[in-house]
Amino acid sequence: MEGVERKGRRLLLIPLPLQGHINPMLHLAQILYSNAFSITILHTTFNSPDPSNYPHFNFSCIQEPSSLCLSQSSASHLLNFLLALNAQCVTPFQECVTKLLSEEPQPVACLISDALCYFTQGVADKLRLPRIVLRTGGVSSFVAFAAFPFLRLKGYIPIQDCKLEEAVTEVPPLRVKDLPTVKTEEPEKYYELLHRFVNETKNSLGVIWNSFQELESSALTKLSQEFSFSMPMFPIGPFHKYFPTSSSSSCSSLISQDQSCISWLDKHSPNSVLYVSFGSVAAITETDFLEIAWGLANSNHPFLWVVRPGLIMGSKWLEPLPSGLMENLEGRGLIVKWAPQLEVLAHSAVGAFWTHNGWNSTLESICEGVPMICMPCFTDQKVNARYVSHVWRIGLQLENGVERGEIERAIRRLMDVNAEGKEIRDRALKLKEEVKLCLKTGGSSCSSLEALVTYILSLESSTFQAS
Ligand code: UDP
């Protein structure tokens, strides 16, 4: 975008420092930069992005307490991390923004904050800085988060094991087991986090969604009509499709991506490989890991499996893998520590994605028309999986735990030549076409982006600079 005249307006963007949040925030920054805004990324020391990949942005570090980190992958660690971040970053963030506002020659149009950094609303109010939020998850799961107080009153939450299969009639098509809960000894802490997250989203001046109108229209309507979300909403996604895959893939990755899997995929025929990845935070037990390994081996289909160091609880990397298992497959399976996922999903050899249904993974799969096997672990992943399998009907969910026989059957249902697999694949390809349309001139996301740019520029008149 060199040579484009900047709008004379600077935007401050603060991502939540986790991979699934940094990726969409930096893509959003690129999109807004392409629309002639100047960009400053505010970030923590923990999981800081690499400024050398973005020479056209400014970066400013919030000097948060050194104790802030996510040392282990588990729901309760994640919960404590989010609470600590929101408690400990207030003062350093306020100091950082105050300094920027006093030194910045360009007027700052607004702050764009990850919705889970709810602490930024209070600071923005104090500094009289307009705040818009980016919700990096889907709209449908946000509806379920917004419904939490009501679902608690109705007795759906806390979840009772005997009611897992019951329909939650107020939030269709969710069943009790699809509600976005986490396993924790301290559920009150989780409820408080959700309360603040939803409320400070409501108190913002607008919400940007990494989603598109055609995919989640009923959830968007529900939010504004039933939950009184009256601020403007901008479904402008999928963000990463504004750029060529190769250029948007690796810049924001916190872990180095193993490119060797692309040449491995090159050797395979179209739609023949199952890609398996459970994202950057989820962790699985050693027992589940072994069931997955045997399910993959027994399926007879080629697979590319991301086993991130730390994925298996209590192990460094692949120690629990039975010796000889991979060797006996004679090259049918490849395990890597971290993959260039956007390129993998866009590769013609990939025929299905076995995912934990983090929102980015789900959306990335939708964009490439790749059907999914769903194995959600916690929070919004459970809602996303339900939508994939029962609303968009572009995947199958492993409903009965992680067991090698069921895994093998699910892989065969999706990847063997058969009518069911074909129908699912056809629906996924149709949705991929909708993605292309929404990003074209006049398409829903393209129009929403235009509206967002106009909206941000309209905020300038009410912006007050810190004195
Ligand atoms: N990802 C990647 N390489 C991998 C696995 C994941 O680049 O081997 C990226 C993926 O493309 C996505 C992000 O990491 O953008 C994971 O986000 P998601 O919301 O799917 O899951 P989370 O990690 O937040 O649970």
Side-chain angles (χ1 to χ4, degrees), residues 156 163-170 174-176:
Y156 289 113
K163 294 191 174 166
L164 289 177
E165 300 297 331
E166 256 179 41
V168 182
T169 46
E170 296 83 353
L174 302 188
R175 302 157 299 181
V176 168

Side-chain angles (χ1 to χ4, degrees), residues 4-42:
V4 169
E5 201 183 321
R6 303 283 107 200
K7 285 189 165 43
R9 302 281 153 220
R10 180 164 290 282
L11 305 176
L12 308 183
L13 281 73
I14 174 162
L16 181 79
L18 296 177
Q19 187 72 75
H21 294 250
I22 291 173
N23 288 357
M25 185 62 94
L26 285 165
H27 283 141
L28 175 65
Q30 293 275 30
I31 294 169
L32 293 169
Y33 181 79
S34 301
N35 278 272
F37 288 100
S38 302
I39 302 292
T40 298
I41 305 289
L42 306 171

